[in-house]
Amino acid sequence: MLKRPTDLRLGWVLMSALAGGVMLAGCDQIGDRVSRAKEIAEASAGQVSGDTVVDESLRNLQAASMADRALAGTVMAEFVVDDEERPMFAIGSIIAKPIDIAPTAAMAVEDTAMSAEEIEYFEEEYYYEEEAAAGDIPESAPASAPENATSREVAGDILQVEQVLPTIMIDPRAVAKTEKSIAAADKEVDQLVLDEPPLAGRLKKMTREEFKALPAEEKAEIRKLARRAPVVRETLKAQIDANSVMADTMSKYNMGGAVALSREGQMVIQIGPDGASPTQFKGPVTDPASFLARADSAKCTDEIEPADVVGDLALATACVVRDLRASGQFEYVEPDFIFQNQFVRRNKDAPQPDTTAGTGTGTTGGTNTPTQPATFRPNDPLWSLQWHFRDQGTADDRSAGGAGFETFWNRQGTTGSRSVVVAVVDTGLQMAHPDIAGSPNIMPGWDMVSDPRMGNDGDGRDSNADDPGDMCDPTKANAADSFHGTHVAGTVGAAATDNGAGVAGGAWNVRIVPVRALGKCGGRLSDINDAIRWAAGLIPAEGPGGTEEWNENPADVINLSIGLLGACPASLQDAIDSVTERGAIVVSAAGNARMATSFYAPAGCRNVVTVAASDARGQLTPYSNYGAEVMLLAPGGDLTRDDNGDGKPDGVLSTKAATNCFDPVTGQGVASCNYAYEQGTSMAAPHVSAALALLKARTPSATKDELIATLRGALDPRQPLQCSGLCSQYPGTTAVPGSPDMCSRPCGAGLLNLAGIPAAPTGGGGR
């Protein structure tokens, strides 16, 4: 719920952003004043010296099979603002955290001297196998079960069962029953504290000197495993004590509920008949209004009495939030807001594919390459159309808006490292996608969508991070599954790169962990909070039989190509702070509402790398959010433009199932395909996540702050007009001096340009 004093301004900005339909591209005459003469001279010198080699990109495209090159996407006449992008929340679901809960401190494992307590922390079983090959990430040895742990036999082996935290049931009609549930949870927590195996049981015994002598990659793995939040009695006691306040409040409205406890103090309260047990819901739901509500239509004012909310669970949810806040017992209480992916929606009358497209590739193809041998040039056939990874420039094989990945790969001698992990918190991943099914980069993920009504897969949370589709209302015109997470992850590096099929990814050789948190109609804030923490390795997920399932590949970088119109929710900021304090980097899409990022989350949250979207010219796109929180620009694409003249839209090309496709060689229509052009700040964020992963592979010992500083140091500065738009389209912005019709939209320190990063002194990492 929007609580800032700027609410009135937010309303004004929102009305301005949603009014009007058509967004103007603007600034067509503005571009980089790059000297083409220098590039021509360099190319000529390369030809004379014999360094220039024949570009295989176009040849690979022509030789590929239809399945490996067909794609979707057309140059659009225009795109429109989504007039339904207003905050929603899950009916019957509330997030709260009691006051006076101390932050859970992860074990800090530094390169410097370790304290006696830190040495003791590593004093039991081995995490790393002694015989592991150099440079490999070894498999973990099984931890020894604690004396009091419950075990069960599976296929002849004894599997340790770690119980999840208890849930407290509240029944306003049975006070004794509620008190019994609270007492049982209290007793169970005491036992969990005693039974929990120490993390030392999963780490290698070592002295201070031995730890300092470890390779940087192994040190990084140990640090990530040391993030795990323990079961702290005081943290859980504060949550249990808060149940008496919640019981009184829910009794006031004559409704029961269930309270789920957490290791870091963030409780999820489900109220009402469905809210109390959403996983028990049976039967199909076609109307999202049955479980989602608009935040502006369910406000609990001071005049509303308990009798006024009878039969209106959405209003009751808002009133319970109000009353719990007023109790003074909580650090924060908020509705379970619904986040959306950050695709820019296609307009209703998008033109059909151009069947006369032919084989031209404009400035992204051609027969000449830069003078440097293309040691790391991928052979994927659609690489020739991925302008967004190319080096900046106007000559053939370059793009004015390219992010410089190709030069980075070659100069640094690396396309990633198996010691680096990127988690993509999104709609999941199409595991059967032909460019993903065989990818060695995909690690086990998790489905964090708790409500089957939003899960669209018949159940709640489980180990299957596959994307079954997220279409919200099938009766709505042009409704379709987005497969958003597959497109985002493909840009990071989920697609098998250099395999002669489909597209290339930005970081070819990193581990990708898909975490599904968005389902039908979006994603719950509570699910996203847990997804972020699980991705970073802080908390476990719940496995079969109430067991705990930890992420064995904790993320160095977490990509959030998601958005909520509103100020940063307190619980989301709490989750972000938790993971960033432990060393993870959170990358966020700026949002596509063409408004200030301070009115958007997670873009406006603290401790995130907020990314705005640029087009193939390197200019801020008309749809992108902007503001002081934006750190940098990265390619997000613009489907209304074709600045390289190749007959194809200047969108970002990546993996996803699509229909109404075409063959980029012949222009012939194809019914379905596995690749598509898309646009949005959702597409910009994974470029930055891939870039940070590459930098981590280049310098494994670098901290998150050092990685971000290196990235920022190589940005290509933008001129004011390259981040401007018509003042009539962006109310409240400041006019550019000398151009009274154009208003400035702050877009960060500059455009992502990995080509500007000098070679590492050690020669870079390995493939």
Side-chain angles (χ1 to χ4, degrees):
M1 211 162 276
L2 304 175
K3 302 179 293 182
R4 293 186 176 182
T6 51
D7 281 3
L8 293 176
R9 184 184 171 205
L10 171 59
W12 174 77
V13 172
L14 176 59
M15 292 178 61
S16 300
L18 299 181
V22 178
M23 299 170 64
L24 302 180
C27 304
D28 286 357
Q29 76 278 18
I30 308 301
D32 291 323
R33 305 304 183 187
V34 180
S35 174
R36 184 174 175 83
K38 180 179 178 181
E39 296 172 4
I40 294 174
E42 290 175 350
S44 299
Q47 293 172 357
V48 172
S49 65
D51 289 338
T52 301
V53 296
V54 176
D55 182 8
E56 295 290 330
S57 298
L58 184 57
R59 187 178 302 170
N60 291 336
L61 178 64
Q62 294 170 332
S65 68
M66 183 73 74
D68 289 335
R69 74 188 186 197
L71 53 92
T74 60
V75 180
M76 296 165 52
E78 61 189 30
F79 48 81
V80 298
V81 177
D82 185 353
D83 60 0
E84 294 186 359
E85 191 168 1
R86 291 172 289 169
M88 295 189 297
F89 65 84
I91 296 174
S93 188
I94 297 166
I95 305 171
K97 183 178 182 180
I99 58 175
D100 299 330
I101 290 183
T104 302
M107 180 60 62
V109 186
E110 302 295 342
D111 292 307
T112 56
M114 297 165 63
S115 66
E117 290 78 14
E118 289 171 330
I119 293 175
E120 184 180 357
Y121 193 70
F122 296 98
E123 285 284 353
E124 290 187 15
E125 301 295 325
Y126 289 88
Y127 177 72
Y128 290 101
E129 296 177 350
E130 294 293 336
E131 66 273 19
D136 290 343
I137 300 301
E139 296 293 330
S140 59
S144 59
E147 183 178 350
N148 296 325
T150 305
S151 299
R152 59 187 173 92
E153 191 171 32
V154 179
D157 295 327
I158 300 298
L159 177 67
Q160 180 182 334
V161 178
E162 299 173 310
Q163 295 298 317
V164 296
L165 296 176
T167 296
I168 296 173
M169 305 304 296
I170 296 177
D171 187 344
R173 293 170 295 276
V175 176
K177 185 177 180 181
T178 298
E179 291 176 347
K180 184 178 180 180
S181 179
I182 294 174
D186 199 24
K187 183 178 180 180
E188 186 175 346
V189 164
D190 285 337
Q191 192 62 45
L192 284 170
V193 173
L194 292 174
D195 288 350
E196 187 181 43
L199 186 55
R202 301 187 58 80
L203 298 174
K204 182 179 177 181
K205 179 180 179 181
M206 68 188 71
T207 64
R208 178 186 299 109
E209 289 71 24
E210 287 174 330
F211 178 74
K212 291 173 66 176
L214 286 176
E217 291 86 350
E218 291 195 23
K219 289 180 182 177
E221 288 296 303
I222 291 175
R223 290 193 191 96
K224 288 190 286 185
L225 286 168
R227 296 172 181 168
R228 294 185 175 183
V231 176
V232 178
R233 182 71 182 89
E234 291 75 17
T235 298
L236 294 173
K237 178 65 173 173
Q239 297 173 66
I240 292 171
D241 290 347
N243 276 269
S244 59
V245 176
M246 290 183 284
D248 291 342
T249 302
M250 284 186 270
S251 296
K252 176 180 176 181
Y253 298 101
N254 194 32
M255 61 179 63
V259 182
L261 310 183
S262 77
R263 291 179 177 236
E264 296 204 314
Q266 193 172 94
M267 301 180 295
V268 178
I269 309 162
Q270 305 288 348
I271 66 173
D274 285 341
S277 299
T279 57
Q280 300 302 313
F281 174 80
K282 304 294 183 182
V285 171
T286 57
D287 182 12
S290 64
F291 55 92
L292 301 179
R294 297 288 183 191
D296 56 4
S297 64
K299 294 183 177 181
C300 186
T301 63
D302 293 338
E303 293 75 25
I304 291 179
E305 298 294 335
D308 300 330
V309 305
V310 174
D312 190 339
L313 187 54
L315 183 58
T317 304
C319 287
V320 171
V321 168
R322 178 198 65 179
D323 291 356
L324 290 180
R325 285 175 176 169
S327 71
Q329 299 299 307
F330 298 90
E331 179 181 326
Y332 55 74
V333 183
E334 56 196 7
D336 203 348
F337 289 114
I338 304 300
F339 284 67
Q340 304 295 331
N341 69 58
Q342 291 305 295
F343 271 159
V344 176
R345 305 298 193 272
R346 293 171 181 267
N347 68 315
K348 181 178 180 180
D349 299 315
Q352 294 301 306
D354 181 4
T355 58
T356 63
T359 60
T361 57
T363 58
T364 62
T367 58
N368 294 326
T369 65
T371 56
Q372 186 177 13
T375 307
F376 288 100
R377 168 160 292 192
N379 64 13
D380 306 83
L382 294 178
W383 163 252
S384 62
L385 304 179
Q386 292 182 280
W387 59 268
H388 37 99
F389 287 137
R390 298 305 181 94
D391 293 340
Q392 292 179 18
T394 57
D396 284 349
D397 213 29
R398 299 190 182 189
S399 171
F405 277 74
E406 189 171 8
T407 283
F408 182 94
W409 297 332
N410 288 284
R411 178 180 293 158
Q412 311 295 337
T414 181
T415 57
S417 168
R418 305 302 293 167
S419 68
V420 179
V421 181
V422 179
V424 179
V425 176
D426 215 292
T427 64
L429 197 60
Q430 290 178 285
M431 299 301 183
H433 189 287
D435 218 1
I436 290 174
S439 174
N441 297 346
I442 308 304
M443 298 294 109
W446 205 266
D447 179 2
M448 281 288 180
V449 180
S450 58
D451 190 336
R453 294 168 295 188
M454 301 183 72
N456 205 30
D457 57 357
D459 56 25
R461 295 182 177 181
D462 57 31
S463 61
N464 183 9
D466 193 27
D467 185 354
D470 59 353
M471 180 168 50
C472 184
D473 184 357
T475 65
K476 185 177 178 180
N478 304 302
D481 294 316
S482 72
F483 299 118
H484 181 270
T486 301
H487 196 280
V488 170
T491 297
V492 176
T497 300
D498 204 33
N499 65 340
V503 296
W508 310 5
N509 195 31
V510 302
R511 288 177 283 168
I512 306 291
V513 175
V515 190
R516 184 170 182 251
L518 272 65
K520 179 179 179 180
C521 304
R524 289 190 181 204
L525 172 59
S526 57
D527 292 342
I528 292 167
N529 292 336
D530 284 351
I532 291 170
R533 286 187 166 99
W534 184 85
L538 271 63
I539 65 170
E542 181 176 354
T547 57
E548 292 185 343
E549 299 286 347
W550 293 88
N551 177 14
E552 297 293 346
N553 301 280
D556 298 283
V557 181
I558 301 173
N559 190 92
L560 300 179
S561 289
I562 60 178
L564 170 74
L565 179 56
C568 182
S571 63
L572 178 61
Q573 186 66 67
D574 196 359
I576 290 170
D577 290 346
S578 292
V579 301
T580 56
E581 286 168 2
R582 291 166 169 87
I585 301 175
V586 176
V587 178
S588 169
N592 305 326
R594 61 192 180 103
M595 64 170 54
T597 44
S598 57
F599 300 125
Y600 232 73
C605 297
R606 301 183 304 277
N607 298 324
V608 299
V609 176
T610 299
V611 187
S614 58
D615 60 20
R617 303 168 297 168
Q619 298 183 23
L620 184 67
T621 60
Y623 58 77
S624 180
N625 286 356
Y626 55 88
E629 293 81 8
V630 173
M631 184 177 293
L632 74 163
L633 280 168
D638 187 340
L639 295 176
T640 68
R641 304 188 65 88
D642 178 19
D643 287 306
N644 58 24
D646 65 354
K648 301 172 184 64
D650 290 345
V652 171
L653 184 58
S654 186
T655 47
K656 65 166 284 187
T659 55
N660 298 322
C661 309
F662 68 98
D663 181 349
V665 173
T666 67
Q668 185 177 12
V670 181
S672 62
C673 58
N674 297 303
Y675 307 94
Y677 286 109
E678 293 291 354
Q679 64 185 359
T681 55
S682 272
M683 284 57 263
H687 283 86
V688 175
S689 292
L692 289 165
L694 289 173
L695 290 174
K696 183 69 173 177
R698 168 185 179 265
T699 313
S701 61
T703 66
K704 66 179 179 65
D705 292 334
E706 290 169 343
L707 294 173
I708 293 171
T710 300
L711 188 73
R712 298 187 69 166
L715 297 179
D716 181 23
R718 301 288 85 185
Q719 299 299 317
L721 283 176
Q722 291 174 312
C723 290
S724 65
L726 291 174
C727 296
S728 59
Q729 292 292 313
Y730 302 96
T733 50
T734 303
V736 176
S739 301
D741 294 334
M742 304 297 289
C743 278
S744 175
R745 298 171 291 164
C747 64
L751 180 66
L752 175 65
N753 186 9
L754 285 176
I757 295 175
T762 58
R767 286 190 72 173

